[in-house]
């Protein structure tokens, strides 16, 4: 049986509320746990986003970092490219941490599915470990596309499907056994670190996400696997302009 429209809206709102509350609960320990649980590999992944975008934008470009959280990617973009960076997230405690780290970036409270920006104003959009948390990946991609100028670039960094089978098993064991234990102990919220592998397992793999980007109106889509596919960086270009009569 399908949900009615209002049923869908309610469950999307409920999902958003739960995700927001969860990040609020772990915000204090979020950075520490990111670096600890990934043995600092997360920093290298975000740097790769910067390297990928650097040749495609300039210091005059406007870049939007969606679901920016505590701002590490926004800051890497700002410091390395020198672009005008805006970070947006719907969890205030995460944003407050971001704002304390770097004054040169506009950190804005807002929902990734209803971005509080006009159409076609950014030269590039990024989203790191955010798309997986949205109630609808399709709507998230549509929202990214809406705010991009024609030919603007999107870069999506997200957990993905490890490409080597043995490594896949190892990564799954780490995520389901080790991560919730350490994450729970340090953040005080074991459920947040149980949610992580759960949400990763439901997220589209590399090929599927590429296909979804294409359906959402991106062209020149490519991806690279990071650390054997534990994460993947997808990029695409907004194709065409929408004409509404
Ligand atoms: C795993 S964190 C990633 C933060 C940051 N991008 C990074 O690389 O560390 C996910 C972030 O997505 C945000 N988020 C989830 N759903 C969102 C939504 N619908 N709108 C805005 N932010 C959202 C959360 O508040 C959280 O800060």
């Amino acid at each position: 049986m399908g949900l009615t429209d209002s049923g869908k809206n309610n469950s999307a709102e409920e999902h958003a509320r739960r995700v927001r509350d969860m990040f609020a609960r772990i915000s204090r320990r979020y950075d520490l746990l990111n670096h600890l649980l990934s043995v600092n590999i997360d920093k290298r992944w975000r740097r790769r986003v910067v390297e990928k975008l650097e040749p495609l934008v300039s210091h005059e470009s406007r870049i939007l970092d969606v679901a920016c959280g505590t701002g590490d990617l926004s800051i890497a973009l700002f410091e390395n490219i020198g672009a005008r960076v805006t970070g947006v997230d719907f969890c205030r405690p995460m944003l407050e941490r971001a704002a304390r780290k770097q004054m040169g970036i506009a950190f804005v409270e807002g929902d990734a599915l209803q971005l509080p920006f006009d159409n076609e104003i950014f030269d590039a959009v990024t989203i790191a470990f955010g798309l997986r948390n949205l109630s609808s990946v399709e709507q998230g991609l549509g929202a990214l596309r809406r705010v991009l100028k024609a030919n603007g670039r999107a870069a999506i960094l997200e957990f993905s499907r490890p490409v080597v089978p043995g490594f896949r098993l190892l990564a799954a064991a780490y995520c389901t056994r080790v991560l919730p234990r350490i994450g729970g102990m340090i953040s005080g919220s074991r459920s947040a670190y149980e949610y992580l592998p759960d949400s990763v397992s439901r997220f589209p793999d590399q090929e599927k996400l590429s296909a979804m980007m294409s359906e959402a109106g991106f062209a020149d889509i490519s991806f690279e696997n990071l650390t054997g596919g534990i994460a993947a960086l997808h990029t695409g270009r907004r194709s065409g302009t929408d004409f509404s009569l």
Side-chain angles (χ1 to χ4, degrees), residues 186-201:
I186 297 180
S187 73
S189 174
R190 187 180 169 113
S191 59
Y193 288 85
E194 284 166 346
Y195 162 84
L196 199 153
D198 192 44
S199 61
V200 173
S201 71

Side-chain angles (χ1 to χ4, degrees), residues 178-190:
V178 181
L179 218 125
R181 231 173 257 171
I182 301 179
M185 231 155 49
I186 297 180
S187 73
S189 174
R190 187 180 169 113

Side-chain angles (χ1 to χ4, degrees), residues 30-47:
Y30 177 82
D31 285 340
L32 169 72
L33 275 164
N34 256 357
H35 307 327
L36 185 75
L37 292 170
S38 75
V39 282
N40 275 334
I41 292 173
D42 64 312
K43 293 184 186 167
R44 214 188 307 152
W45 292 342
R46 290 193 194 84
R47 218 165 29 240

Side-chain angles (χ1 to χ4, degrees), residues 80-121:
N80 293 286
I81 299 177
R84 292 179 290 162
V85 178
T86 303
V88 62
D89 199 287
F90 71 176
C91 178
R92 189 184 285 238
M94 294 286 275
L95 272 181
E96 283 169 354
R97 298 202 156 254
R100 279 204 290 270
K101 289 184 195 169
Q102 173 56 263
M103 308 285 282
I105 299 172
F107 287 108
V108 176
E109 195 170 344
D111 193 321
L113 297 178
Q114 286 163 5
L115 289 169
F117 306 102
D118 289 338
N119 295 349
E120 303 186 35
I121 59 167

Side-chain angles (χ1 to χ4, degrees), residues 3-22:
L3 283 169
T4 62
D5 276 355
S6 87
K8 274 185 195 161
N9 288 344
N10 285 345
S11 74
E13 275 169 28
E14 175 61 16
H15 174 93
R17 192 188 57 74
R18 278 201 207 153
V19 169
R20 194 189 299 112
D21 289 352
M22 180 183 79

Side-chain angles (χ1 to χ4, degrees), residues 129-238:
F129 308 110
L131 196 56
R132 176 177 39 91
N133 293 297
L134 306 184
S135 58
S136 163
V137 174
E138 287 90 346
Q139 281 177 34
L141 292 171
L144 298 182
R145 183 181 183 279
R146 180 183 68 76
V147 298
L148 268 181
K149 293 178 185 170
N151 295 316
R153 306 292 172 146
I156 300 170
L157 175 62
E158 191 49 89
F159 290 112
S160 201
R161 188 171 163 81
V163 283
V164 182
F167 189 46
R168 197 178 299 157
L169 287 176
L170 207 67
Y174 177 75
C175 287
T176 50
R177 300 208 188 130
V178 181
L179 218 125
R181 231 173 257 171
I182 301 179
M185 231 155 49
I186 297 180
S187 73
S189 174
R190 187 180 169 113
S191 59
Y193 288 85
E194 284 166 346
Y195 162 84
L196 199 153
D198 192 44
S199 61
V200 173
S201 71
R202 280 183 277 110
F203 191 70
D205 66 15
Q206 291 87 332
E207 278 77 20
K208 174 82 175 126
L209 182 58
S210 300
M212 291 173 84
M213 288 177 73
S214 169
E215 274 160 35
F218 290 96
D220 298 339
I221 296 155
S222 64
F223 69 82
E224 65 178 76
N225 287 316
L226 304 172
T227 319
I230 289 188
L233 172 57
H234 284 70
T235 52
R237 175 176 63 78
R238 179 189 164 137

